[in-house]
Amino acid sequence: MDLSIIIVNWNSKDYLQKCIASILSWTTDVNFEIVVIDSASFDGVDEMLKQCYPQVRFMQSDRNLGFTKANNVAFRVSTGSNILFVNPDTELIGPAINILLDYIQILSKTGAIGCKLLNADGSVQTSCIQAFPTILNQLLNSEFLRALFPKSPFWGMASLFDAKDEPAEVDVISGACLMLKRSLFEQVGLFSEDYFMYAEDLDLCYKISQSGFTNYYISGASVTHFGGGSAEKKPRDFSVVMMCESFWRFIKKYQGKIYGLAYRASTVISAIGRLLLLMILMPLQYLGQSEPS
């Protein structure tokens, strides 16, 4: 088996159906399998797969394992020499999987490889590649600064704005669409189950980098990522809290408890600073709107 495509479903049945359809439509001349695991959402995905895609291997978990552990469980029943972890709320644009498979064979010391992720409107998702988190780049992380200095090494997303259509070495590949060799995934110990969701891709890419391999961004392969296909079922605050918690776990794990505490303190300072700025700007905006025309 050339490739195992692993998808974790949680309340994403409609997205998943379109995701699989795009995979089957665009992926040719590849001996691959699709393994879907439902993490206790029981949203009818089993019946949909039986009716529409009986060739897909389905696993039902009786409890919510979280994204990380569910991927590991599905991986253990897969057989492909290469593994693609992909979110259910994605759709291929062209032969993205074939392109990634070609590059994973020819690049030197290939670690994780990923593609260009696009929003529904066709714009690029800057989160598809990123730098490993530090106190400084997290403290300065804001949409305003990222837009003002998109090629800054702080963000690690400069390759998104490079006109060259060739593989680029990057720190982190988004777990929304991430491919690597089976042997390497096993070598680095699979996804770390220290995280329920978020930061598992950071951790994996860091372990790969520390093992002497290189993570690559392939701009010639594109996938639409609708984003939040599952998380949107939860309040937005839940996702924000989980992301901050996972980032803290990652930083503490690899940089130590003191650095982890400093990171937490910096997030509090950053939040207070943004709140103060908002308190200043809101009255000014109100005054501007109330001025007679």
Side-chain angles (χ1 to χ4, degrees), residues 8-22:
V8 176
N9 179 71
W10 193 82
N11 285 322
S12 299
K13 180 186 67 174
D14 294 337
Y15 281 114
L16 177 63
Q17 185 171 1
K18 295 177 182 178
C19 173
I20 294 174
S22 72

Side-chain angles (χ1 to χ4, degrees), residues 35-276:
V35 182
V36 172
I37 179 169
D38 180 63
S39 200
S41 70
F42 301 104
D43 63 348
V45 67
D46 53 341
E47 290 301 321
M48 181 274 288
L49 291 175
K50 284 180 185 178
Q51 293 177 15
C52 302
Y53 308 111
Q55 70 272 43
V56 171
R57 187 168 186 176
F58 176 69
M59 303 176 68
Q60 179 65 64
S61 173
D62 59 1
R63 62 189 180 92
N64 190 348
L65 300 172
F67 183 78
T68 304
K69 190 169 186 177
N71 269 315
N72 286 345
V73 169
F75 167 76
R76 292 187 179 99
V77 304
S78 68
T79 60
S81 57
N82 298 289
I83 307 295
L84 174 66
F85 297 101
V86 63
N87 280 13
D89 58 346
T90 57
E91 289 183 32
L92 270 62
I93 301 175
I97 290 177
N98 289 79
I99 294 171
L100 293 180
L101 269 176
D102 287 343
Y103 275 114
I104 205 170
Q105 302 301 330
I106 64 176
L107 291 171
S108 177
K109 297 289 285 183
T110 314
I113 64 173
C115 61
K116 182 181 295 182
L117 297 180
L118 303 176
N119 295 304
D121 62 2
S123 59
V124 177
Q125 289 185 2
T126 56
S127 60
C128 65
I129 56 175
Q130 57 182 296
F132 292 120
T134 65
I135 289 176
L136 188 57
N137 66 19
Q138 294 303 298
L139 188 62
L140 297 176
N141 188 22
S142 72
E143 289 300 324
F144 174 75
L145 290 177
R146 287 165 69 93
L148 199 59
F149 307 105
K151 295 186 178 181
S152 169
F154 277 137
W155 326 126
M157 61 180 192
S159 299
L160 297 177
F161 307 96
D162 195 333
K164 297 178 182 178
D165 189 17
E166 57 188 41
E169 297 183 11
V170 297
D171 282 353
V172 181
I173 298 295
S174 170
C177 183
L178 183 152
M179 184 182 290
L180 78 169
K181 294 179 180 178
R182 182 184 200 88
S183 57
L184 177 57
F185 191 53
E186 292 174 331
Q187 179 181 329
V188 299
L190 314 190
F191 280 118
S192 171
E193 295 181 9
D194 294 333
Y195 317 94
F196 184 77
M197 61 189 297
Y198 302 122
E200 72 285 331
D201 46 8
L202 290 175
D203 193 291
L204 178 64
C205 289
Y206 188 80
K207 291 190 294 186
I208 289 171
S209 179
Q210 291 298 296
S211 298
F213 294 84
T214 303
N215 301 314
Y216 288 98
Y217 162 68
I218 311 299
S219 62
S222 298
V223 167
T224 298
H225 179 214
F226 295 97
S230 299
E232 68 186 11
K233 304 294 192 306
K234 289 278 189 178
R236 181 173 175 82
D237 288 347
F238 171 81
S239 297
V240 173
V241 170
M242 288 299 300
M243 187 176 295
C244 290
E245 177 68 17
S246 295
F247 270 49
W248 171 72
R249 286 180 179 272
F250 171 82
I251 288 174
K252 184 179 71 169
K253 179 178 179 179
Y254 292 108
Q255 302 296 333
K257 290 183 179 180
I258 294 177
Y259 196 89
L261 288 171
Y263 165 74
R264 280 211 154 171
S266 71
T267 59
V268 172
I269 293 170
S270 177
I272 292 173
R274 294 182 189 190
L275 180 60
L276 290 174

